[in-house]
Amino acid sequence: MSQREFQHVLLTGGCGFIGTNFVRFFLEQRPDARLTNLDALTYSGNAESLRDLEDEPRYRFVHGNIRDRPTVDALVRECDAVVHMAAESHVDRSIQDASPFISTNIGGTQTILDGVRQAKGDGHDVRMCYVSTDEVYGQLPLDRPDLLFREDTPLAPSSPYAASKAAGDMLCAAYHHTFALDIVTTRCSNNFGPYQFPEKVIPLFVTNLIEGEPVPLYGDGRNVRDWLHVLDHCEAVLRVLEGGASGEVYNVGGNNERSNLELTHEILRCMDQGEEMIRPVADRLGHDLRYAIDAGKIERELGWEPTRSAWPGALEATIDWYRENDQWWRRVKSGAYREYYRSQYGRTK
Ligand SMILES: NC(=O)c1ccc[n+]([C@@H]2O[C@H](COP(=O)([O-])OP(=O)(O)OC[C@H]3O[C@@H](n4cnc5c(N)ncnc54)[C@H](O)[C@@H]3O)[C@@H](O)[C@H]2O)c1
């Protein structure tokens, strides 16, 4: 497919971490385009993060659930592309209770696909980008640094979260095959950057240290993750949306593998703190050992490569953001961020 810019993008999950960054990135990169953000404002959705865009005519927020078919149908009809990233996203929560993950990540994805299918049936073609994760591939061993996830690596998810995302991948592939829907998929490694909900490891550790609290490190900390700056991910999603071949999957990674222990030491070093701030805690059940991405396809075919993810600079800048925006995360940690929606829109869901 040749490069194509879209006039009106429907983004799902735009009040979450990656969504908030994508809204800003997209409006900046595509000054003539509009974006509608459909978000249910679950615990991880924060409308306050986009408060400054309220008067932006090219931006619209719709408070709604991706499982609500009439809402989805109506919004899909208005747009020429959908970027679907609304999800339950935290592995630990999926281990406590998988139900919301099945409902949103599988049922919600089906609703979006049915909305796109309905629109196509009515003569309105809409391209969809499904934002998936490298976790659908399962885990790699620690003693084989030569192994990387490729797009043709079999899906072998190991957490309920990853299984629900993999089901979304498969539904997208099936709808592309069966109904000839125009769908592209991204599978990205761990993101870091501004506006991340402080239950995830980097903002959790950074905000704990700012508050003088220890950082809880799972097990022996040897599990390895690949870290990508969220804006590099946003750029990859836009690149795939606008130029990816229909039906294709694109891995997105930062070439930036670190064990959780290395990550912890790096954060401690950046924040002038010592090892005594580490508090070992019982390991996550079924904790995947290593994720590592071969992002060669998106580099070769779409000319994307990470430009904002190199450490220590990108990590230091992220830590500075949490230092400078302590009001943002303090309100999230205390739950006060929900008041903004109540005061602004007069009700909660
Ligand atoms: N964070 C990462 O490191 C990472 C890496 C790769 C892929 N991803 C994928 O990127 C996407 C976004 O991740 P994130 O970290 O920003 O997640 P997040 O938890 O910060 O945000 C999720 C957003 O989706 C919204 N949402 C949840 N259920 C909804 C529903 N039923 N209807 C409408 N909105 C709903 C929430 O309110 C929230 O705003 C997810 O699909 C995730 O699987 C994330």
Side-chain angles (χ1 to χ4, degrees), residues 67 69 72-73 76 84 105-121 125-130 166-185 246-248:
R67 297 223 56 188
R69 183 72 196 275
V72 167
D73 277 1
V76 168
H84 173 37
N105 300 0
I106 304 178
T109 299
Q110 180 211 341
T111 312
I112 303 287
L113 286 164
D114 282 335
V116 173
R117 180 188 170 198
Q118 176 81 46
K120 184 179 170 74
D125 282 334
V126 175
R127 165 159 270 218
M128 172 171 165
C129 177
Y130 173 62
D169 281 57
M170 289 181 167
L171 282 172
C172 288
Y175 275 64
H176 170 74
H177 178 83
T178 308
F179 306 114
L181 298 193
D182 183 11
I183 303 176
V184 283
T185 297
S246 192
E248 290 294 312

Side-chain angles (χ1 to χ4, degrees), residues 205 209 215 217 220-221 258-278 311 315 319:
F205 282 17
L209 290 170
V215 297
L217 181 65
D220 55 14
R258 315 278 162 157
S259 72
N260 286 344
L261 191 59
E262 285 169 336
L263 165 71
T264 307
H265 280 139
E266 194 76 27
I267 292 174
L268 289 171
R269 191 191 61 72
C270 290
M271 298 185 72
D272 294 322
Q273 303 276 335
E275 285 198 12
E276 69 283 359
M277 296 307 281
I278 300 178
W311 285 13
L315 183 63
I319 292 171

